[in-house]
Amino acid sequence: MTEPLELSHWIDGQRVAAERPSESLNPSDTREIVARTPDGGVAEVNAAVAAARAAFPAWSEASPEVRSDILDRAGTLVMERREALGRLLSREEGKTLAEGIGETVRAGRVLKYFAGEALRVHGRNLASVRPGVEIQTYRQAVGVFGLITPWNFPIAIPAWKAAPALAFGNTVVMKPAGPTPATAEALVAILHEAGLPNGVLNLVIGRGRVGQAIVDHPDVDGLSFTGSQGVGAGVAAGAVKRQARVQLEMGGKNPLIVLDDADLDRAVQIALDGSFFATGQRCTASSRLIVQDGVHDRFVAALAERVAALRVGDALDPETQMGPAVSEDQMETSYRYIDIATGEGGRVVTGGERLKLEKPGWYVQPTLIAETEAGMRINNEEVFGPVASTIRVRSYEEALEIANGVEFGLSAGIVTQSLKYARDFQRRARAGMVMVNLPTAGVDYHVPFGGSKASSYGPREQGFAAVEFFTQTKTAYSA
């Protein structure tokens, strides 16, 4: 086994020595310690915010070319080291090695994209209604941002939050998720290697008290959070209380509608990808499969065959198609919801059994549950695991009503050969992202990301929309 990494906070450009009472375990083999980690608190957050505040004037006033060059170099380094970083990610989070490398490349591309955006911040010149007066609008950095990132994309999401914050001249204090601190720390180290000045990006590793200290700190001007609804509500309340900017991404219960006219093979592949890849631990995963009556039974049978054939195992095994859950709690959540679904009348078509593999790990058997009703808990509460349920419907209108009938609204998909229904679904689906003949999971890094209803709160993330959250507009008059 590989020797455990000894992680540190990053404060004011330096690794900060600290006791390391916590451990990050390999979910594919829980005998292996991936990293030993510090457990920060208020003192570390105060020091990190102070460093970020001190670094803000010089960083925000620096040439955008300086910021662009650093992000571009960091993106190059991430992609050059994609094999090692992807392997670390897979050991720590449980994604297959191919998925881990793919996510790492995505992080590198995000950094390079925002390297370009740093040079494209623009404003407007407008004529005043008063003769002889000119008006200019331009965007300025906001200040210090607190970034609270999740474990399911432990390098991509830290990159897509930090990159725009840094590109537009802000400074950052980041808290990575408890199960995956080593991957986030590796990204922060690369950004410093690329030339990031001291204090511009700070990392504090720890439990919930770290996040709470960031939320409550009066010198943190904005907060970007990805995680659960319950925690997100607390982040929002804390931000509003002291009038800080806030941006929340809080999951989904994403529908995939399959109509009678769908290409069956394509529909099955789309559902398999959206529901089960990355162990179903994606906020955009297809957890509700809403299938029209004429194709329902054939679809369920064909999908069940593909699900049953998925090879579950060690994330680093090249034969593995689905890795373990990230933690024991996440594993148990999946099995608990399987029990809830069957208790309410659902039928397990395939899966549902506890896996016993050669290595001790948090493995979940991919599970397909049929004969569920829209009102069941399995169709309203986020499982965040490799568990999908099917709902039989008679018509497109019934399918759309059910798709829209939950509190979440992140991603929604439809599989059909009908242009009429595809276009109607794009307009009427109550979701921030809509997919036609594509998996609900899988989005590009250069376009806005976010949902509606309880899935998201505040401005969109990623792409050209990121400038709205990470800058403020100033209007200047002159005569």
Side-chain angles (χ1 to χ4, degrees):
M1 293 185 181
T2 306
E3 283 295 311
L5 298 170
E6 303 291 337
L7 302 188
S8 300
H9 310 297
W10 277 84
I11 298 175
D12 201 16
Q14 305 297 320
R15 283 189 168 98
V16 177
E19 293 184 1
R20 298 179 176 89
S22 301
E23 295 174 340
S24 170
L25 301 181
N26 181 349
S28 294
D29 186 347
T30 53
R31 299 168 299 183
E32 181 184 8
I33 300 171
V34 177
R36 294 190 175 93
T37 66
D39 188 10
V42 173
E44 288 80 8
V45 170
N46 287 344
V49 174
R53 178 60 63 192
F56 175 71
W59 181 246
S60 61
E61 294 167 11
S63 164
E65 193 169 58
V66 170
R67 300 194 293 268
S68 176
D69 287 349
I70 290 171
L71 290 172
D72 186 65
R73 282 196 294 271
T76 296
L77 290 171
V78 166
M79 288 196 282
E80 286 177 350
R81 299 172 190 176
R82 59 186 176 271
E83 299 286 340
L85 289 168
R87 186 178 182 87
L88 172 61
L89 192 160
S90 295
R91 287 177 58 228
E92 188 174 47
E93 196 272 349
K95 286 182 179 174
T96 65
L97 184 56
E99 291 170 334
I101 293 172
E103 181 185 334
T104 301
V105 170
R106 180 189 180 94
R109 295 198 182 280
V110 166
L111 292 165
K112 284 183 167 290
Y113 173 84
F114 282 106
E117 290 299 280
L119 300 170
R120 284 190 282 267
V121 180
H122 56 80
R124 294 184 179 186
N125 292 332
L126 298 96
S128 172
V129 296
R130 293 169 288 176
V133 176
E134 293 184 352
I135 303 172
Q136 292 179 317
T137 68
Y138 53 95
R139 292 186 177 274
Q140 290 183 315
V142 175
V144 178
F145 275 89
L147 309 181
I148 302 174
T149 64
W151 48 259
N152 62 324
F153 284 90
I155 194 167
I157 292 181
W160 90 40
K161 289 183 186 295
L166 299 172
F168 303 136
N170 302 284
T171 55
V172 168
V173 176
M174 182 187 296
K175 177 204 174 298
T180 55
T183 309
E185 202 257 10
L187 175 65
V188 170
I190 284 175
L191 279 158
H192 282 90
E193 182 181 344
L196 207 62
N198 293 349
V200 171
L201 173 61
N202 305 273
L203 180 79
V204 181
I205 299 171
R207 291 176 284 185
R209 62 181 179 175
V210 171
Q212 192 62 56
I214 293 171
V215 170
D216 293 340
H217 203 291
D219 283 338
V220 172
D221 301 293
L223 296 157
S224 182
F225 166 85
T226 299
S228 70
Q229 275 187 309
V231 177
V235 172
V240 171
K241 182 178 180 181
R242 56 184 189 78
Q243 299 180 335
R245 293 185 171 209
V246 65
Q247 175 188 69
L248 309 176
E249 293 297 340
M250 298 174 290
K253 193 66 187 173
N254 308 296
L256 177 68
I257 294 174
V258 180
L259 296 185
D260 283 347
D261 69 345
D263 178 320
L264 185 62
D265 289 340
R266 184 169 187 176
V268 168
Q269 181 58 44
I270 287 170
L272 187 75
D273 180 321
S275 300
F276 298 100
F277 288 3
T279 319
Q281 296 175 149
R282 297 183 285 189
C283 55
T284 52
S286 310
S287 52
R288 295 183 295 147
L289 308 177
I290 304 168
V291 188
Q292 199 169 359
D293 188 69
V295 73
H296 178 275
D297 292 350
R298 286 184 292 138
F299 172 83
V300 170
L303 179 58
E305 184 177 352
R306 295 287 300 278
V307 172
L310 286 175
R311 183 185 174 102
V312 180
D314 190 315
L316 299 182
D317 184 339
E319 300 299 318
T320 293
Q321 295 172 290
M322 195 186 90
V326 72
S327 66
E328 184 176 15
D329 284 348
Q330 207 60 42
M331 176 187 73
E332 292 298 339
T333 294
S334 292
Y335 284 120
R336 184 171 71 254
Y337 272 100
I338 293 168
D339 290 341
I340 290 170
T342 56
E344 291 184 329
R347 175 176 63 87
V348 173
V349 183
T350 187
E353 300 295 327
R354 289 184 177 267
L355 290 177
K356 297 292 185 182
L357 303 183
E358 180 181 347
K359 296 177 181 178
W362 295 310
Y363 297 103
V364 179
Q365 191 173 38
T367 301
L368 180 64
I369 303 171
E371 298 172 17
T372 72
E373 302 294 333
M376 291 180 177
R377 288 180 64 186
I378 192 66
N379 291 319
N380 288 272
E381 300 173 13
E382 190 173 35
V383 178
F384 223 65
V387 180
S389 52
T390 67
I391 304 170
R392 187 192 298 264
V393 295
R394 294 180 297 275
S395 66
Y396 165 74
E397 288 294 335
E398 182 184 3
L400 180 64
E401 181 179 2
I402 290 172
N404 287 338
V406 298
E407 64 176 337
F408 293 100
L410 183 56
S411 183
I414 189 169
V415 188
T416 180
Q417 298 184 63
S418 166
L419 179 60
K420 169 188 171 182
Y421 289 134
R423 293 298 298 274
D424 185 80
F425 185 73
Q426 285 179 320
R427 290 192 300 270
R428 295 171 63 197
R430 295 190 62 199
M433 298 176 289
V434 180
M435 312 293 184
V436 176
N437 295 324
L438 290 166
T440 58
V443 295
D444 290 356
Y445 58 85
H446 67 301
V447 295
F449 178 96
S452 63
K453 300 188 282 185
S455 286
S456 299
Y457 181 83
R460 289 288 190 254
E461 292 195 273
Q462 287 203 92
F464 55 83
V467 72
E468 297 293 337
F469 182 64
F470 288 107
T471 65
Q472 54 194 349
T473 299
K474 179 173 281 187
T475 304
Y477 295 83
S478 60

